[in-house]
Amino acid sequence: MSKAVDIYGASVRGPRNRREGRANQDAWARSSGPFGDLVAVCDGMGSRPAADVGARAACEAVKKAVRLWPGSAASADPTHLVRLVETLWRLELSPRTASECASTCAFALREPDGHVLIVGLGDGLAVVRRADGDLLTLGGRSSESFCDETLALGTPHRIDDWWIATEPPSSGRTLVLATDGVADDIDPTQLAGFVDWLANDIGRIAPAARWRRLQQELRDWPVPHHVDDKTIAVLREAAGGQP
Amino acid sequence: MSKLKEFTVSSARPLPVIVMADISGSMAADGKIDALNSAVAEMIAAFAEEDDGRAEIHVAVATFGGDAALHVELTPASGVQWTPMKANGRTPMGAALDIVTDLIEDRERVPSRAYRPTVVLVSDGLPNDEWRGPLARLLGSERAAKAQRFALGIGADADHDVLRAFLDDAEGRVFEAHEAREIRKFFQWVTMSVSSRSRSAQPNHTVDVDPLNLDDYGDF
């Protein structure tokens, strides 16, 4: 991991899967290497029999895809990266079918030159808090849908259903990815405060204790009757920390 | 206390149930309006006591009799102050369909974190306003078209073609109430169906509560 970047996150089973003895159907991953720093969150669709497999496979597919991709600094088209993820995900699943493993997928790649590529399919949420306080939001619940309706790997979709954004090199940014179990319950007017809490309160805790604290926060989720698995992943740049 | 409470919404995911009630003058006959009032009130009371679900059941009642209006604004069932409906005037179902479409399309009143709404249409006659356009608008809308829809025809004069068009489902069934007590029976079935959804692992999915076995749940 670049010294200019800190990546952390946590994922917990929701009350529904705990009660029914099922695995966490969310997954998250981080990875660092010559390609830069990567963070991903994926949410297997609860109605599919191998949703947990699909979510973990999506994280693995993203990790493999970024190693193959030449990077936006080389002017590569991000849709090629998306196609790689789609193909590698299917290979990861084999012999299971895509349909039984459907999963949303959201990830952010901070390239060595400081470009950040933010990509997703489905109702996962990505938020970038820039150093000047501006907030960029991608994904989340579409306005025409109700909860539990989402596009995903393994459901019919087109390449342009993926949301893609590129942030130019900068520093002091915080990027948060969250599955819908978290994103749907965040008050939109409090989104900036939520990101700042993750960056400034949670982010300052030592790594081992931080993971436990974040797990506990997700388990003690304060919204009545919540049921979903919950996953948050954070990529935080140091202020003035351009490589 | 966790700071997260400052950033999260304070309410459970809503599961909206919208009743479209015909309260035209003809509903005053044969105790129909009284039966409808007590059946809807009983349903709301049952939803208000539903505390082990994955959702908070919200209820709205749109009426059409003389005018079309929202008799009960979309509210958590536990907060509904029920006042009986009064039968009066003609049957402006088209205007009521517009009210329901506008309600479901309003992201403030029915947020995207809500479960798919249920809309229950109850009528004992023929619409006397332009209803085809409003129905086409509902069925062609982004969100209202996704609502789970139930229909009850009361008595021999109910227009089953209209009710079938509302369901817009070749396998959908228009329920029939030939006497007032069957109105209550229908709403008991709606209550069972919605409560089952609320408690299910996937509240957006329809839960099969076999209407042919409704007598199992009734008290007569």
Side-chain angles (χ1 to χ4, degrees):
Chain A
M1 194 186 308
S2 158
K3 286 179 183 172
V5 173
D6 190 12
I7 300 177
Y8 48 96
S11 182
V12 302
R13 277 192 300 171
R16 178 170 59 208
N17 283 338
R18 284 207 300 271
R19 191 166 40 238
E20 295 170 6
R22 289 193 295 190
N24 187 352
Q25 292 165 342
D26 282 2
W28 80 282
R30 64 182 164 191
S31 183
S32 295
F35 54 84
D37 297 294
L38 170 76
V39 63
V41 301
C42 301
D43 177 359
M45 289 178 69
S47 56
R48 307 302 172 97
D52 54 328
V53 176
R56 289 197 303 274
C59 284
E60 284 304 309
V62 173
K63 284 162 70 174
K64 289 181 177 173
V66 297
R67 285 171 168 78
L68 296 169
W69 194 59
S72 63
S75 299
D77 181 346
T79 60
H80 296 328
L81 177 59
V82 166
R83 290 181 202 283
L84 268 176
V85 169
E86 296 253 12
T87 303
L88 290 167
W89 179 69
R90 281 170 169 73
L91 289 172
E92 286 286 325
L93 297 177
S94 181
R96 294 182 188 271
T97 66
S99 175
E100 64 185 339
C101 300
S103 175
T104 70
C105 180
F107 62 93
L109 172 64
R110 185 183 187 276
E111 296 181 296
D113 70 350
H115 276 95
V116 178
L117 182 66
I118 309 146
V119 180
L121 176 69
D123 56 15
L125 178 71
V127 187
V128 181
R129 179 80 148 156
R130 299 186 182 113
D132 64 5
D134 277 359
L135 211 59
L136 169 71
T137 304
L138 295 143
R141 179 82 47 215
S142 66
S143 66
E144 73 274 9
S145 65
F146 298 109
C147 69
D148 287 353
E149 288 181 53
T150 184
L151 291 174
L153 293 163
T155 70
H157 64 271
R158 298 167 306 177
I159 196 79
D160 56 6
D161 288 323
W162 285 79
W163 34 269
I164 299 174
T166 304
E167 287 277 294
S170 183
S171 61
R173 292 170 291 195
T174 300
L175 190 143
V176 174
L177 300 177
T179 55
D180 70 335
V182 170
D184 279 354
D185 286 348
I186 300 296
D187 179 343
T189 66
Q190 299 298 323
L191 192 54
F194 174 63
V195 174
D196 292 347
W197 172 73
L198 286 168
N200 302 328
D201 290 18
I202 301 296
R204 292 216 166 89
I205 303 172
R210 180 168 65 192
W211 176 77
R212 283 194 296 274
R213 167 76 183 278
L214 204 44
Q215 292 265 116
Q216 198 58 49
E217 293 281 359
L218 294 177
R219 281 201 194 96
D220 296 341
W221 197 247
V223 177
H225 298 284
H226 68 97
V227 293
D228 293 333
D229 300 333
K230 292 170 190 65
T231 302
I232 293 175
V234 181
L235 186 155
R236 191 165 62 106
E237 292 177 318
Q242 276 195 64
Chain B
M1 183 189 298
S2 169
K3 232 181 156 183
L4 261 178
K5 204 164 179 125
E6 294 176 23
F7 311 125
T8 50
V9 294
S10 57
S11 57
R13 289 185 194 271
L15 196 168
V17 177
I18 303 164
V19 177
M20 291 182 61
D22 181 344
I23 58 165
S24 57
S26 57
M27 285 290 290
D30 305 323
K32 287 183 283 189
I33 192 67
D34 294 336
L36 181 59
N37 273 317
S38 63
V40 173
E42 195 175 84
M43 179 187 76
I44 292 169
F47 289 159
E49 289 175 10
E50 190 68 44
D51 62 1
D52 63 344
R54 274 71 162 163
E56 182 176 56
I57 300 172
H58 291 207
V59 179
V61 180
T63 54
F64 49 104
D67 294 319
L70 259 186
H71 182 71
V72 173
E73 182 51 271
L74 192 62
T75 312
S78 56
V80 173
Q81 301 290 315
W82 177 251
T83 54
M85 302 172 286
K86 295 187 174 100
N88 175 47
R90 302 186 73 189
T91 315
M93 187 191 292
L97 287 164
D98 276 336
I99 287 173
V100 170
T101 303
D102 290 343
L103 172 58
I104 298 176
E105 293 299 315
D106 184 339
R107 275 70 170 165
E108 294 290 321
R109 291 189 287 175
V110 182
S112 293
R113 68 190 287 271
Y115 290 104
R116 202 157 50 98
T118 293
V119 182
V120 183
L121 173 58
V122 178
S123 178
D124 76 337
L126 287 81
N128 74 324
D129 65 349
E130 206 302 284
W131 60 273
R132 287 182 181 81
L135 179 59
R137 180 170 166 253
L138 185 149
L139 297 176
S141 64
E142 277 188 328
R143 308 174 90 219
K146 295 175 183 171
Q148 179 183 32
R149 294 185 295 277
F150 298 133
L152 175 70
I154 301 173
D157 294 334
D159 188 329
H160 285 232
D161 289 340
V162 173
L163 297 173
R164 266 192 294 275
F166 169 76
L167 294 178
D168 192 34
D169 176 359
E171 295 180 4
R173 174 181 168 189
V174 174
F175 294 88
E176 295 177 35
H178 299 290
E179 48 191 308
R181 66 179 186 169
E182 289 174 331
I183 297 172
R184 181 176 179 223
K185 193 169 162 181
F186 170 75
F187 274 95
Q188 285 173 332
W189 177 78
V190 171
T191 304
M192 285 297 302
S193 177
V194 172
S195 296
S196 298
R197 267 183 73 200
S198 162
R199 292 188 212 119
S200 82
Q202 302 290 335
N204 257 358
H205 295 187
T206 303
V207 174
D208 287 333
V209 177
D210 186 351
L212 299 176
N213 291 334
L214 188 63
D215 284 342
D216 294 344
Y217 307 110
D219 62 356
F220 53 92

